[in-house]
Amino acid sequence: MWTALELLVLWLVAQAAVTDLALRKIPNILVVSGLALALVLHGLAGPPLAALTHWLTGLLAGFFLLLPLYLLRGMAAGDVKLIAMVGAFVGPQAALHVALLTYLLGAPLALATLVWQGWRQGTGLAIARQLGRNLWRLVQPWLGRLVGLPLAPLPRETIASVGGMPYGVAIALATVAVVAWPHR
């Protein structure tokens, strides 16, 4: 049987995905109201301290699992806040599953979005070249570190974006998969 927490988080991520597709933005009001609703519903479902702990650990897990991608400029802040909200609903373990699925679903969705944008603008080859350069700039320090080179103490130059991807869609799909899995 579906719980109110599950149904509400599915509704909120669906709203976020639609808004992200249409406006390329996830509204803060959606995230903040979702956080408040998750806290209230967790409080009604069990002991207050356990509910608060589950809510807070899920929120922090979701936030910190996608924060690296935000810091690498691969995702917007709204996406990180959305996954934190999802974590507040589902808890830390399920937030980990949602984040991993988001990574797995997000990569092909991002590539498909870039191909679509390049095809529409007639700049597909230029986008592919810039994407290759961006990936090399991101991976280069890690590869150097693997062979024993020290990390550069100076900040690297800014990487030119090849386009935006509505990551809210990947987060929504991952959330649906994780929440619906026990009900199969």
Side-chain angles (χ1 to χ4, degrees):
M1 182 159 175
W2 292 85
T3 66
L5 278 165
E6 293 169 334
L7 293 173
L8 193 54
V9 74
L10 292 177
W11 173 254
L12 289 168
V13 296
Q15 285 291 109
V18 168
T19 305
D20 202 13
L21 274 172
L23 305 174
R24 295 283 204 243
K25 184 172 174 56
I26 297 171
N28 285 334
I29 189 70
L30 183 91
V31 173
V32 172
S33 60
L35 287 170
L37 288 167
L39 183 59
V40 168
L41 289 175
H42 277 300
L44 294 173
L49 186 57
L52 179 63
T53 304
H54 189 72
W55 177 84
L56 185 60
T57 55
L59 184 150
L60 292 173
F63 178 79
F64 284 112
L65 285 167
L66 291 191
L67 186 62
L69 197 55
Y70 168 74
L71 294 174
L72 291 171
R73 296 189 180 122
M75 168 180 292
D79 302 317
V80 177
K81 291 182 275 187
L82 177 64
I83 194 100
M85 182 203 70
V86 169
F89 273 94
V90 299
Q93 185 176 7
L96 173 64
H97 295 149
V98 171
L100 292 175
L101 263 177
T102 297
Y103 281 131
L104 290 174
L105 294 170
L109 284 173
L111 286 174
T113 302
L114 291 175
V115 167
W116 172 254
Q117 288 173 351
W119 178 75
R120 275 189 33 217
Q121 299 169 358
T123 58
L125 190 56
I127 287 177
R129 285 186 189 135
Q130 185 63 44
L131 177 62
R133 284 192 294 270
N134 289 356
L135 289 174
W136 175 246
R137 286 182 190 152
L138 290 174
V139 172
Q140 190 177 13
W142 295 342
L143 292 176
R145 192 74 174 137
L146 283 174
V147 296
L149 297 175
L151 290 175
L154 300 174
R156 296 180 301 167
E157 71 275 4
T158 302
I159 297 175
S161 176
V162 292
M165 191 279 212
Y167 239 92
V169 175
I171 294 169
L173 291 172
T175 302
V176 168
V178 169
V179 169
W181 182 258
H183 300 286
R184 64 188 187 289

